[in-house]
Amino acid sequence: MIDYPALRAVAAVVQTGSFEKAAAALNVTPSAISQRVKQLEERLGAVLIVRGNPCTATEKGGWLCRHMENIGMLEGELMEHLPALADPEEPRQRVTLHIATSADSLGTWFLTAMSNFSGRSPHLLNIAIDDEDHTAEWLQRGRVLAAVTSLEKPIAGCRRTSLGTLRYHAVANPEFMSRYFADGVTTEAIRHAPALTFNQKDRLQNRWIRQTFGQDLAFPTHWLPSTQGFLEGSLAGMGWCMNPAPLVGEHLRSGRLVELVPDSPLDVPLFWQINRLAADRLMDLTSEVVATAKSRLRQ
C-alpha cells in the first residue's frame, strides 16, 4: 500500500522549503512530518529530501512530488462531484503545477498565459526557468509536468504542440556600433566586440554568428542572467546581444538600438510539451498557452 500521508509530507516539505512550514500547511507537528519522511525514506532505501535552507527534492523525491500533483488533481475532480467526501477538519490542499520555460518566453508572452490560466484555475504554479534548449530535460527527469521547449521531437510520455517562433535580433546601441563596428560588422570585429551572454547554456549569440557568417567565432562576453538586463545592457552600450523581437521593436524603430546586420533575425521554434497523464486534466492550461502563443509569436 502507498503511504499517502508520508507522500503528502514529502511534497509539502519540498513545496514550502522546510519541515516547519510543511507542518503548518498540513496542520500537524514538525516531528510528525519528520517521522513520516524518515519512515518513507527507510522503506524505500533512498533519500527523498536534501535537508537545507530551503529543503529540496532528490530525483526520487521529485518523482513522488509529481505523483502527488496528479493525485491532487484527481482528488479535486472527485470533490467537485462528491463534496461530502471532503473532511471538514482537514485543510484543503491546492495543487501546485510545476512548469518549465525560458526567461525570454516568460518575459515576452508566457507570463500572460499563466496569468490568464491562474485567474480561472484553483491550481498554483511553480515556474522554473532554463534555456529553451534544456527545459525538455526537466520533463524527461519528471521535475515538471509541462514545458516550453525548442525540442521538436516529442518527449516520451508527453504530448507536443507547436507554438510558433520567437524571433531574435542581434542588436547594439549606435555608440557601441561606432566604437566596435566603425568599419563594418566583420568576423574580425566580432572577435573584439563584447557580447552579453545569459549563462553557459545560452547559445543564441553563437547560433546567430554561425547563421550570419557561416562559421563559429570566439568573442568576449559579459555574463548577465536577465532578459530585462539584456535589453537595458544593450541600450546602455554594455555589449551586443540577441534580444527578443517583442522587446526591441520600438527601440529599433526609434534608433536607440540598431541591428548589427540588417535583416538577419534568428528564429527559434517553440513547442509545448505536457505529461500525458496530466494532459487531459490540464486542457485549459494547454489551450491558454497555445492561444497566447498564437497571438504573440510568429506563426
Side-chain angles (χ1 to χ4, degrees):
M1 294 289 291
I2 297 179
D3 185 354
Y4 277 102
L7 264 64
R8 289 190 181 92
V10 171
V13 170
V14 173
Q15 181 174 332
T16 63
S18 76
F19 284 73
E20 292 75 16
K21 292 179 181 178
L26 296 179
N27 198 27
V28 296
T29 64
S31 61
I33 293 290
S34 179
Q35 185 177 16
R36 292 176 187 177
V37 173
K38 181 179 179 181
Q39 288 176 346
L40 184 59
E41 289 181 326
E42 291 176 348
R43 176 182 172 184
L44 297 176
V47 175
L48 301 174
I49 294 175
V50 179
R51 278 68 169 174
N53 187 21
C55 295
T56 58
T58 63
E59 183 176 358
K60 290 183 173 62
W63 279 104
L64 291 181
C65 291
R66 300 297 80 75
H67 174 73
M68 289 308 297
E69 287 180 33
N70 283 302
I71 292 299
M73 285 186 281
L74 286 171
E75 288 182 349
E77 291 179 358
L78 184 61
M79 295 306 174
E80 289 181 5
H81 298 286
L82 299 172
L85 287 176
D87 187 346
E89 300 299 322
E90 289 190 7
R92 181 69 180 272
Q93 299 299 313
R94 298 178 66 181
V95 175
T96 298
L97 307 178
H98 290 69
I99 301 169
T101 188
S102 69
D104 288 341
S105 286
L106 187 66
T108 53
W109 67 274
F110 192 69
L111 185 58
T112 299
M114 295 300 95
S115 298
N116 292 341
F117 170 75
S118 64
R120 301 190 306 268
S121 170
H123 301 321
L124 302 174
L125 299 171
N126 185 338
I127 301 175
I129 300 298
D130 203 346
D131 186 88
E132 63 270 357
D133 291 339
H134 295 268
T135 50
E137 298 173 9
W138 292 64
L139 267 173
Q140 292 166 333
R141 296 175 182 173
R143 297 174 65 185
V144 296
L145 287 175
V148 175
T149 174
S150 60
L151 182 65
E152 182 176 4
K153 181 181 178 180
I155 298 170
C158 295
R159 293 181 186 173
R160 188 215 65 175
T161 304
S162 177
L163 297 175
T165 298
L166 183 56
R167 170 162 287 187
Y168 289 84
H169 294 288
V171 299
N173 77 2
E175 290 76 18
F176 185 92
M177 294 293 294
S178 297
R179 180 178 180 184
Y180 289 98
F181 301 118
D183 297 323
V185 182
T186 63
T187 56
E188 185 62 25
I190 286 288
R191 289 190 177 97
H192 294 90
L196 303 179
T197 304
F198 194 90
N199 57 27
Q200 284 80 0
K201 295 179 180 180
D202 180 11
R203 304 295 297 170
L204 289 176
Q205 285 69 228
N206 304 75
R207 289 168 63 180
W208 179 82
I209 289 173
R210 162 62 65 174
Q211 174 182 284
T212 305
F213 298 98
Q215 60 180 299
D216 295 320
L217 299 172
F219 54 89
T221 189
H222 302 291
W223 301 94
L224 189 61
S226 165
T227 296
Q228 186 62 31
F230 260 47
L231 177 60
E232 295 178 0
S234 55
L235 285 168
M238 186 176 179
W240 73 271
C241 64
M242 305 301 297
N243 267 318
L247 296 184
V248 298
E250 180 59 34
H251 297 296
L252 288 172
R253 287 188 289 271
S254 69
R256 289 189 292 270
L257 290 174
V258 295
E259 286 190 89
L260 268 65
V261 178
D263 302 318
S264 62
L266 177 69
D267 290 336
V268 178
L270 297 178
F271 303 88
W272 174 247
Q273 302 222 34
I274 184 167
N275 187 292
R276 289 184 181 274
L277 294 176
D280 289 339
R281 294 190 296 275
L282 294 176
M283 290 180 64
D284 286 349
L285 173 62
T286 295
S287 296
E288 189 60 57
V289 169
V290 172
T292 304
K294 285 187 176 180
S295 68
R296 299 291 187 87
L297 301 178
R298 298 177 63 85
Q299 300 300 314

